[in-house]
Amino acid sequence: MTTRHIQIGIDLGTTNSEIAINNGNSVEVIKNDLDDEYTPSVFGINRSKIRIVGKKAYEQLFRFATKDELVNNKAEVKRIMGTAEKVRFERTGEELSPEEISAEILKSLKESVLKKHPEFSTVAAVITIPAHFSVVQAEATKRSGNLAGFDHVVLLQEPIAAAIGYGFMNAKNENWLVYDLGGGTFDVALVSAKDGNLTVVAQNGDNFLGGKDFDKLVIEKIIIPKIQAEFNCPDIEDDAVTFSKLKNFAEVAKIELSSREKTNIQVENIGNDESGKEIYLSIDITRKEFEKLIKHSIDRTIKLAQDTIKESGIKQASIDKIILVGGPTRIPYLRERLENELKIQVDSSVDPLTIVARGACIFGVSQQVPDVFMKKNTGVSKGEKALTLHFDSLTSDIETTVSGIIEDLRDIEDDFYIQIQNQSGTYSGTRVKVKHGKFFDTIRLDENKTNVFWIYLFDGKGNAVPVDPDSFTIIHGLSISGAPIPHSIGIGVVRKDPKTGLVNETFDKFFSKNSILPLKETKTFKTLRKLKKGDKENVLPINV
């Protein structure tokens, strides 16, 4: 079955990453070799100088941390995405950029797909990014996808992906607040679903606020003070190996406190103090203690949520639900604070860990793969007629149109007919005559489902003629309007103050924050001095 639309959605996270595919009938989250739906976003080089990704690298870096493992494994690379920083791996002497490390994580996800579905097309993918990623960070993410072997990469903001994943199953006229707290980033977006169309009205975020920051607080405020109270180790927080192991203890405790009122941390295997005494400690931590630690961070997210509601112009009482995204949103305290302070119902019906990958995959169906990549990766078998189709692959309409052209039949006088039927058996179209190689038909969809249709070509005698593609998919659900921009965009312009005569650089805005893409604006400016091509002395800096 050949498709011209993107079938892969990826949530490339700070802590964990997931991949989902459209298998023709539904969206499927692909499990890795360990049968997990998520893969830790950790990359490393093992002692055999083999590249490793996921849980193996995570355990070497945190659970079994040594000085050697610390310089050969890397986590949380998303936080340095788009920077010039290089990460050196001592075992091979390699220095890799953040996008090169991210590409290894993406390759691992792609391999999981191909192990289960060897013939699946991996030519293109939708990869999600935080809403507040800069252009530089976004482009670095796209390069990572290309390095991983995805020829065509489409980026999608994480809150939008979550809203699509949620709205696909809940196509009602509602307003939602998408609260996305991941391992390393926070995004909040106000989304309006109306008459089958999904619009992001306003959004905010913080690229350095997430569950990993909660882990750090547990280490710095609870674990280290209690160790130092019993052992002679004043500089323990500066020991990178110890700190890495403590991260694992803190993360496990954080997760356990989502379902328990109290948990116990066994601090062991971290060496001796300065007196030679082995450091071993049993630390009890209660949910209430943890809640006090993260209060300031939760305050920050709620303030950003309130700002987003205010910027949207939509009354708080008109917001129907809060959709939770990201592992840390499982913390009961967080959910209670949101409901109590925002006075909006929290909807926990979706899996916060996989909803972004699912939404990205659904969005992919609306994105066509460019011809240059399709020609590179597919071919028409002998005897088949190449077919070019045009249709909306993601729509809220029950009836939609499909048109197409068969170039081989453009100049043929003989009669040919196209017939379209859906796989579920609920729709079978009439035979439509092909005129000059072209045809047009109206088909009916099953509501809130992935609709798979088969195309049949017949000659004038009723004989079947093979075509490529022989099928296509349309998802009935919410369609998405353009993505909003997270920051206002403009350029620096030098102007003279008429009163003081002083010259200052001001910001000349082209597009305001939350404007919907695509955007276009033309303005004309004059330079203070003449410019000559190739003149390296008299250059014109442009601050965007």
Side-chain angles (χ1 to χ4, degrees), residues 121-175:
S121 173
T122 57
V123 65
V126 173
I127 301 176
T128 61
I129 56 173
H132 256 55
F133 251 21
S134 68
V135 173
V136 174
Q137 291 169 305
E139 286 302 314
T141 304
K142 185 175 280 191
R143 285 196 299 274
S144 294
N146 295 148
L147 289 170
F150 297 108
D151 293 332
H152 181 59
V153 173
V154 171
L155 301 179
L156 180 66
Q157 293 171 347
E158 288 161 7
I160 299 176
I164 293 172
Y166 178 83
F168 173 58
M169 301 303 295
N170 301 271
K172 299 176 183 177
N173 286 350
E174 293 181 335
N175 297 314

Side-chain angles (χ1 to χ4, degrees), residues 73 91 127 134 144-145 194 233 277 354 400 416 424 430 520 534:
N73 295 276
R91 285 177 179 146
I127 301 176
S134 68
S144 294
K194 188 175 182 181
C233 45
K277 185 179 177 183
T354 62
T400 188
F416 283 88
S424 64
T430 58
K520 186 177 181 180

Side-chain angles (χ1 to χ4, degrees), residues 255-527:
I255 294 169
E256 288 180 348
L257 287 172
S258 290
S259 57
R260 302 177 189 175
E261 289 295 328
K262 184 170 83 170
T263 190
N264 178 267
I265 301 172
Q266 294 289 318
V267 179
E268 56 187 346
N269 300 321
I270 63 169
N272 302 332
D273 69 3
E274 292 187 3
S275 306
K277 185 179 177 183
E278 182 186 1
I279 299 173
Y280 175 83
L281 192 63
S282 178
I283 301 173
D284 287 330
I285 175 172
T286 66
R287 183 182 282 182
K288 289 295 181 185
E289 286 178 286
F290 178 67
E291 290 171 358
K292 286 180 182 178
L293 288 182
I294 66 172
K295 180 184 181 299
H296 178 73
S297 297
I298 302 305
D299 289 345
R300 165 86 175 134
T301 68
I302 290 174
K303 175 66 168 58
L304 286 169
Q306 290 169 334
D307 290 345
T308 304
I309 295 169
K310 188 175 180 181
E311 289 171 14
S312 74
I314 293 175
K315 292 181 179 179
Q316 195 159 313
S318 299
I319 302 171
D320 298 272
K321 291 170 185 174
I322 299 174
I323 302 166
L324 300 178
V325 183
T329 62
R330 289 173 169 165
I331 297 171
Y333 171 68
L334 184 152
R335 298 185 177 203
E336 290 166 11
R337 289 281 309 274
L338 288 174
E339 286 198 333
N340 291 340
E341 296 184 38
L342 297 181
K343 308 299 181 187
I344 305 169
Q345 176 191 349
V346 169
D347 188 329
S348 54
S349 62
V350 299
D351 183 347
L353 281 174
T354 62
I355 188 63
V356 169
R358 288 180 181 275
C361 189
I362 293 169
F363 177 77
V365 177
S366 69
Q367 302 296 302
Q368 191 159 322
V369 182
D371 288 343
V372 62
F373 302 125
M374 289 300 298
K375 289 173 182 175
K376 178 181 174 182
N377 289 274
T378 62
V380 178
S381 303
K382 189 176 180 180
E384 286 183 333
K385 300 293 183 185
L387 172 63
T388 301
L389 290 171
H390 301 283
F391 59 92
D392 290 328
S393 52
L394 186 63
T395 180
S396 57
D397 297 326
I398 294 298
E399 289 191 344
T400 188
T401 58
V402 178
S403 62
I405 184 168
I406 305 169
E407 289 290 345
D408 289 352
L409 303 182
R410 187 185 286 271
D411 300 319
I412 291 179
E413 297 288 337
D414 297 343
D415 290 340
F416 283 88
Y417 301 87
I418 283 282
Q419 185 174 16
I420 300 174
Q421 296 179 349
N422 71 356
Q423 188 166 274
S424 64
T426 58
Y427 173 81
S428 181
T430 58
R431 293 192 180 187
V432 176
K433 190 171 184 178
V434 178
K435 298 178 181 179
H436 305 296
K438 300 177 182 179
F439 70 91
F440 179 91
D441 198 7
T442 300
I443 60 175
R444 190 175 67 253
L445 307 176
D446 291 336
E447 289 188 68
N448 299 324
K449 287 184 179 180
T450 299
N451 292 259
V452 179
F453 291 92
W454 295 92
I455 312 170
Y456 301 96
L457 176 65
F458 300 97
D459 62 20
K461 297 179 180 179
N463 299 313
V465 179
V467 291
D468 182 71
D470 58 5
S471 62
F472 62 95
T473 301
I474 298 179
I475 292 182
H476 180 267
L478 291 169
S479 57
I480 179 78
S481 63
I485 55 174
H487 309 280
S488 295
I489 298 175
I491 64 170
V493 179
V494 174
R495 290 191 172 95
K496 183 183 283 187
D497 189 315
K499 293 182 179 179
T500 64
L502 297 175
V503 175
N504 296 305
E505 185 179 49
T506 60
F507 179 65
D508 197 299
K509 190 185 296 183
F510 275 61
F511 311 113
S512 297
K513 176 185 175 181
N514 292 324
S515 297
I516 302 296
L517 294 170
L519 295 164
K520 186 177 181 180
E521 175 74 26
T522 301
K523 292 187 178 185
T524 302
F525 301 94
K526 291 182 179 180
T527 58

Side-chain angles (χ1 to χ4, degrees), residues 91-127:
R91 285 177 179 146
T92 57
E94 295 174 280
E95 287 192 350
L96 301 180
S97 65
E99 51 258 51
E100 288 173 321
I101 296 171
S102 296
E104 294 299 319
I105 296 166
L106 291 170
K107 284 178 188 176
S108 173
L109 298 173
K110 186 175 74 169
E111 286 167 6
S112 295
V113 171
L114 295 175
K115 282 179 182 177
K116 187 170 184 180
H117 304 281
E119 303 301 319
F120 200 84
S121 173
T122 57
V123 65
V126 173
I127 301 176

Side-chain angles (χ1 to χ4, degrees), residues 25-80:
N25 297 308
S26 61
V27 172
E28 174 188 2
V29 177
I30 299 296
K31 294 182 178 181
N32 59 26
D33 290 343
L34 300 174
D35 206 34
D36 293 327
E37 288 187 330
Y38 63 88
T39 296
S41 301
V42 187
F43 167 78
I45 308 288
N46 68 13
R47 291 182 180 179
S48 300
K49 298 184 178 181
I50 295 171
R51 295 185 173 195
I52 56 174
V53 170
K55 193 172 183 179
K56 288 181 181 178
Y58 173 90
E59 291 191 334
Q60 292 303 115
L61 181 59
F62 296 111
R63 193 174 173 190
F64 308 121
T66 63
K67 287 183 179 179
D68 191 35
E69 296 302 344
L70 249 62
V71 293
N72 285 289
N73 295 276
K74 178 64 180 175
E76 301 174 32
V77 71
K78 187 173 179 177
R79 284 193 157 181
I80 57 171

